[in-house]
């Protein structure tokens, strides 16, 4: 039966036309998208009626859209992460406005990279397409690597040439990997390994340094140590894989949700560390 719902010369069923006319043109859901979405849920229903395990579609679990948002739980959790980073950046800006000190400039840049990554994470989970996927993956790696870079800069600041060489090589690798992500033949397991590698190295550096500094009397460093350990624990959720609860909350969404409070720890450390280094410059080392 022909309908008025067409896409590139194709015509679709009345049910697809109904969904297309009533939902979500804001996020560019066209007729073909609607057909795929409804066929997916008919397939899921068939599997459930037969007692089979819910299948994945193109490597993803099926999610119920809400107001046109493709993965509502992950998008909501990404928004919460973004909100926390914005809140803490405002706090850093209040205490340490942008000036000519390199370390202050770096932390503002750090916050900008993280906020950008969470914006693209939210956009990707709202509507998945090749461009939003590329931006999410490349910006997610940028956040992992800026945390790694922060560890190199803070811990090895007295060995500037060595730190600069490590960071330069890492930047070249990041550029090469982003070019790879832009290609059509991405190995997603390899991309995950890259993120885990740089995330793990950065966490190990932060944890070892925090332990040493804490024992030396700089008690505030426990926050960055706790951040590194809890971030690693939260990552375990991403490595799990199970069908979404309530058709929305899968392991990935829960991972994003579990990371929401962690920036509060990290940025509090940044503020304390800036106050400590400022005190060193003035000869006042009261902060512990």
């Amino acid at each position: 039966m022909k309908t008025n719902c067409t896409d590139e010369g194709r015509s679709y069923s009345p049910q697809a036309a109904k969904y297309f006319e009533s939902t979500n043109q804001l996020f560019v859901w066209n007729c073909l998208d609607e057909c795929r979405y409804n066929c997916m849920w008919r397939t899921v229903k068939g599997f459930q009626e037969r007692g089979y395990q819910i299948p994945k579609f193109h490597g993803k679990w099926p999610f119920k859209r809400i107001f046109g948002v493709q993965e509502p739980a992950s998008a909501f959790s990404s928004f919460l992460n973004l909100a926390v980073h914005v809140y803490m950046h405002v706090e850093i800006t209040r205490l340490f406005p942008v000036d000519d000190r390199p370390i202050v400039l770096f932390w503002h840049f750090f916050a900008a990279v993280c906020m950008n990554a969470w914006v693209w994470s939210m956009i990707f989970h709202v509507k998945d397409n090749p461009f939003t996927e590329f931006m999410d993956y490349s910006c997610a790696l940028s956040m992992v690597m800026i945390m790694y870079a922060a560890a190199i800069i803070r811990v090895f600041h007295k060995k500037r040439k060595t730190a600069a060489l490590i960071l330069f090589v890492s930047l070249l690798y990041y550029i090469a990997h982003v070019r790879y992500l832009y290609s059509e033949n991405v190995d997603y397991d390899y991309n995950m390994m890259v993120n885990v590698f740089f995330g793990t190295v950065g966490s190990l550096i932060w944890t070892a340094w925090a332990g040493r500094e804490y024992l030396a009397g700089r008690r505030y460093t426990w926050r960055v140590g706790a951040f590194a350990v809890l971030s690693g624990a939260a990552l375990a959720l991403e490595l799990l894989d199970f069908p979404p609860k309530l058709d929305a909350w899968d392991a990935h969404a829960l991972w994003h949700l579990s990371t929401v409070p962690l920036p509060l720890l990290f940025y509090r450390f940044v503020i304390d560390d800036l106050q400590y280094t400022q005190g060193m410059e003035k000869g006042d080392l009261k902060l512990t």
Side-chain angles (χ1 to χ4, degrees), residues 92-271:
I92 288 178
T93 303
R94 182 180 68 83
L95 295 170
F96 300 95
V98 176
D99 57 29
D100 58 354
R101 286 181 295 170
I103 190 62
V104 173
L105 289 172
F106 171 77
W107 286 121
H108 283 285
F109 175 70
F110 173 94
V113 169
C114 293
M115 289 186 288
N116 177 68
W118 285 114
V119 166
W120 282 107
S121 174
M122 184 171 59
I123 292 172
F124 171 66
H125 292 303
V126 166
K127 182 65 161 60
D128 176 359
N129 61 45
F131 177 71
T132 59
E133 179 183 82
F134 164 73
M135 292 302 297
D136 175 56
Y137 285 11
S138 59
C139 292
L141 181 58
S142 75
M143 183 163 53
V144 171
M145 294 198 71
I146 198 66
M147 183 65 70
Y148 157 83
I152 299 294
I153 290 170
R154 181 62 184 92
V155 176
F156 302 107
H157 65 280
K158 292 182 180 179
K159 300 178 180 179
R160 294 187 178 181
K161 291 184 178 179
T162 301
L165 178 60
I166 293 172
L167 292 176
F168 179 70
V169 172
S170 300
L171 177 61
L172 291 180
Y173 179 82
Y174 173 74
I175 293 171
H177 190 73
V178 168
R179 291 185 63 186
Y180 166 70
L181 290 175
Y182 195 71
S183 70
E184 297 181 356
N185 301 307
V186 176
D187 184 331
Y188 296 102
D189 290 335
Y190 169 67
N191 181 62
M192 175 61 73
M193 288 173 57
V194 170
N195 280 269
V196 170
F197 172 78
F198 283 103
T200 300
V201 171
S203 292
L204 290 174
I205 293 172
W206 277 125
T207 303
W209 178 81
R212 186 192 70 185
E213 296 296 301
Y214 183 86
L215 293 175
R218 287 175 278 281
R219 305 299 188 191
Y220 70 91
T221 58
W222 73 267
R223 292 186 177 88
V224 72
F227 169 84
V229 172
L230 292 173
S231 295
L235 182 61
L237 283 170
E238 173 69 351
L239 302 179
L240 297 176
D241 196 21
F242 52 82
K245 308 299 181 183
L246 304 176
D247 297 326
W249 293 96
D250 66 337
H252 186 78
L254 291 173
W255 173 47
H256 279 345
L257 186 65
S258 70
T259 62
V260 170
L262 298 185
L264 298 173
L265 269 176
F266 187 81
Y267 284 109
R268 187 66 247 179
F269 156 75
V270 171
I271 291 170

Side-chain angles (χ1 to χ4, degrees), residues 44-81:
V44 169
K45 184 178 179 180
F47 272 63
Q48 290 174 327
E49 288 174 347
R50 292 163 177 80
Y52 299 154
Q53 184 178 355
I54 295 176
K56 285 186 174 182
F57 297 83
H58 302 287
K60 287 194 170 190
W61 294 111
F63 299 98
K64 285 286 188 181
R65 291 197 320 233
I66 298 178
F67 300 117
V69 177
Q70 183 174 349
E71 300 177 24
S74 290
F76 175 68
S77 298
S78 296
F79 169 77
L80 291 180
N81 277 279

Side-chain angles (χ1 to χ4, degrees), residues 30-60:
N30 57 32
C31 263
L32 186 57
D33 293 328
E34 294 296 341
C35 274
R36 287 172 174 166
Y37 178 77
N38 287 290
C39 286
M40 176 183 75
W41 280 105
R42 284 198 297 271
T43 303
V44 169
K45 184 178 179 180
F47 272 63
Q48 290 174 327
E49 288 174 347
R50 292 163 177 80
Y52 299 154
Q53 184 178 355
I54 295 176
K56 285 186 174 182
F57 297 83
H58 302 287
K60 287 194 170 190

